[in-house]
Amino acid sequence: MTENNKEISNQTNSSEMNRSVLRNGLMLGIFALVSTGLIAVTHLLTKDKIAKELELALVRQLTQMVPPENYDNQVYNDCIKVLNKELLGSSEAQQVYRMRNNQSNYALMITAVAPDGYSGNIQLALATDARGKVLGVNILAHQETPGLGDKIERSKSSWIEQFDGLSLQTQSKEYFKVTKDGGEFDSLTGATITSRAMVKSVYNALKFINLQNKQLFKRTSNCVVEQEPNDE
Amino acid sequence: MSNSLSHSTIIKNGLWDNNTALIQLLGLCPLLAVTGSMINGLGLGIATTFVLVGSNVTVSIIRKHIPKEIRIPIFVMLIASFVTNVQLLMNAYTYELYLVLGIFIPLIVTNCAIIARAEAFASKSTPLPSLVDGIAQGVGFTLVLMVLGGFREFVGQGTILDGAHLLFGEWAKDLTIHFYLTEQKFLFAILPPGAFIGLGLLIAAKNKISS
């Protein structure tokens, strides 16, 4: 008799537990749905705006790296899209802006992605003259560690100036490595992964420019950047 | 903790008696990582305070609908989605600020101080005290970040407020104070060991003053 009673109460206990597990699981599922749903909505709402901010930032960087008095074309309207996952690091099309002076090719700026940063992609812009010599490298977006990897930003340290003046004509492949790997680039203290990713990505982008050089200047412009509307 | 705590007690707790970094010893991972300079400390502090206030108020509002057994995973989801949303919105609408503070935001997700406040305070209190608690704890955390950052910056490279222009604009370049010029930075203070020792000294000082 007591045995039986025990069994029955065990059964009710376990079925009660089942119910509460089920209820809590459902609750958790609902919360997960709502919170991911909110992120999805925010993402959709901000996607275009973020892309546009990035483009405007790109245009600002461009004038920083190549002084505007050196070219006379409307550089924002002289742009093509290129896709090369292996050398430019992204499965999305990257942009190339062409700067010309008196019809002759002066310089170009290409965007690229270093896919192996310490925490995700580092988006960068590389400017070279018509012969492929680096005029400057700038960071467009990254999520590296503050105080360590973020020193790749021009405003935070001069590390990124190491690229200035280099070209594949005068520097060997071995040059484009951090000193730890036998190359010529000082790595950022405690942020070798970031440095390595940057050096590799710039090298690959240079390689891409070298392979394509004349083509990049010749192709018809097909990605016009909208100017910021003057609504102030 | 109950609602009977007065706002001034909550504030005093956050700033001193129950300080996130010095007493609860929470949020140490981002704290040790970014306090290489005072301005970096301030940046992380601002971002953390913002998220802390948001998560405290949200948790407090829905606290009665959260089953006790699964509150922790729910807090985690709430905080993660709050952080991600803030990151997306900042990126879209305050791009300049995002460039400066954006790199600190992923660090906040790993900050257990936020979930600790949700659990210890917001889940048991009404929204207003939770708001006050979020601000007080956030400001307390920020102050420790700044003191530790300032200490390491001073010992490591002989400056205070280096990089202030990143946060406040070009005029703030003049805020940087150079105490001495070094060819070679004192890396020990700037690298993680300096953070541990600096924090240890701060905690010791706090205990000394309190006792």
Side-chain angles (χ1 to χ4, degrees), chain B residues 120-132:
Chain B
F121 195 94
S123 63
K124 295 162 193 158
S125 315
T126 47
L128 186 62
S130 300
L131 175 85
V132 176

Side-chain angles (χ1 to χ4, degrees), chain A residues 28-152:
Chain A
L28 208 54
I30 291 171
F31 265 99
L33 269 181
V34 170
S35 50
T36 19
L38 272 177
I39 294 176
V41 169
T42 320
H43 171 70
L44 283 179
L45 286 177
T46 54
K47 203 174 62 176
D48 296 338
K49 179 88 175 124
I50 290 174
K52 193 152 171 239
E53 288 290 346
L54 208 61
E55 271 185 3
L56 289 169
L58 191 75
V59 168
R60 280 195 297 270
Q61 306 249 346
L62 191 144
T63 38
Q64 234 179 56
M65 287 190 288
V66 189
E69 58 268 22
N70 290 346
Y71 50 89
D72 56 12
N73 62 323
Q74 282 279 331
V75 64
Y76 313 132
N77 300 327
D78 198 347
C79 161
I80 56 170
K81 293 208 157 150
V82 289
L83 186 67
N84 186 320
K85 187 161 188 233
E86 195 198 333
L87 293 179
L88 300 180
S90 168
S91 50
E92 279 172 35
Q94 301 294 308
Q95 286 130 315
V96 179
Y97 291 87
R98 286 93 51 99
M99 284 147 268
R100 308 169 204 269
N101 196 355
N102 245 335
Q103 309 294 325
S104 73
N105 302 335
Y106 174 71
L108 55 81
M109 182 176 82
I110 186 167
T111 62
V113 174
D116 38 13
Y118 187 71
S119 30
N121 289 345
I122 304 170
Q123 294 184 47
L124 56 100
L126 162 74
T128 70
D129 67 10
R131 305 175 61 187
K133 195 176 90 180
V134 177
L135 297 174
V137 181
N138 261 354
I139 305 297
L140 299 176
H142 75 90
Q143 304 189 348
E144 302 302 296
T145 321
L148 296 173
D150 70 333
K151 296 230 167 67
I152 51 174

